[in-house]
């Protein structure tokens, strides 16, 4: 018999076609980890700020091409990549048990061990309950993502 690659995608043996409601209730009481998993909530960077940085980078890079200055071309390319990062990358990922702060390359820079139930949203910023310093938010964060996080907290 050929061995199976049991990676992170493997969720147990395939379900039988003849599963009854009693079998499903019994399986749900066992509480498998993939049944209880809650998806993290990504909070992205401000899209408008990303578009402004992207347009400025394209302008600087285009000007560098017109006047044939390699330094301007390189700076425009760098600024364009930063603008693309602001448009596509999350600034934070809110998990059930922690908040991970990310950089533009997608690496986790800081982890706050704050459960999701201990977070609160005030004035477009995310705070730990009873704390006066914001974890993230404000002008840098995409406000519809903050609103979705606020809705999931209530």
């Amino acid at each position: 018999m050929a061995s199976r690659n049991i990676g992170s995608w493997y969720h147990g043996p395939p379900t039988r076609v003849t599963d009854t409601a009693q079998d499903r209730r019994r399986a749900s009481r066992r509480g498998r980890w993939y049944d209880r998993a809650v998806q993290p909530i990504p909070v992205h960077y401000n899209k408008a700020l990303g578009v402004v940085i992207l347009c400025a980078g394209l302008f600087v890079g285009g000007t560098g091409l017109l006047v044939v200055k390699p330094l301007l071309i390189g700076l425009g390319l760098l600024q364009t990549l930063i603008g693309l990062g602001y448009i596509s990358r999350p600034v934070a990922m809110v998990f059930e048990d922690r908040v991970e702060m990310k950089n533009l390359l997608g690496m986790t820079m800081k982890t706050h061990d704050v459960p999701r139930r201990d977070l609160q949203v005030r004035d477009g910023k995310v705070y730990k309950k009873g704390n006066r310093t914001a974890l993230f938010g404000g002008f840098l964060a995409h406000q519809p993502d903050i609103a979705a996080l606020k809705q999931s907290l209530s």
Side-chain angles (χ1 to χ4, degrees), residues 14-54:
T15 56
R16 299 185 313 258
V17 177
T18 59
D19 272 349
T20 63
Q22 183 180 9
D23 289 336
R24 287 191 295 275
R25 281 193 304 274
R26 192 176 299 132
S28 69
R29 277 196 302 269
R30 281 194 292 258
R32 297 203 173 109
W33 64 270
Y34 54 87
D35 292 333
R36 295 186 313 250
V38 177
Q39 293 295 323
I41 298 175
V43 178
H44 291 87
Y45 287 96
N46 189 345
K47 305 285 187 203
L49 184 62
V51 169
V52 168
I53 293 173
L54 179 71

Side-chain angles (χ1 to χ4, degrees), residues 30-89:
R30 281 194 292 258
R32 297 203 173 109
W33 64 270
Y34 54 87
D35 292 333
R36 295 186 313 250
V38 177
Q39 293 295 323
I41 298 175
V43 178
H44 291 87
Y45 287 96
N46 189 345
K47 305 285 187 203
L49 184 62
V51 169
V52 168
I53 293 173
L54 179 71
C55 291
L58 290 174
F59 176 75
V60 170
T63 304
L65 282 174
L66 287 176
V67 296
V68 191
K69 296 284 185 181
L71 182 63
L72 279 180
I73 295 170
L75 288 175
L77 179 64
L78 181 67
Q79 199 170 3
T80 302
L81 292 175
I82 290 171
L84 286 173
Y86 266 75
I87 291 172
S88 62
R89 295 288 185 174

Side-chain angles (χ1 to χ4, degrees), residues 129-141:
K129 284 185 182 173
N131 229 349
R132 290 176 44 178
T133 56
L135 296 177
F136 62 91
F139 180 71
L140 189 64

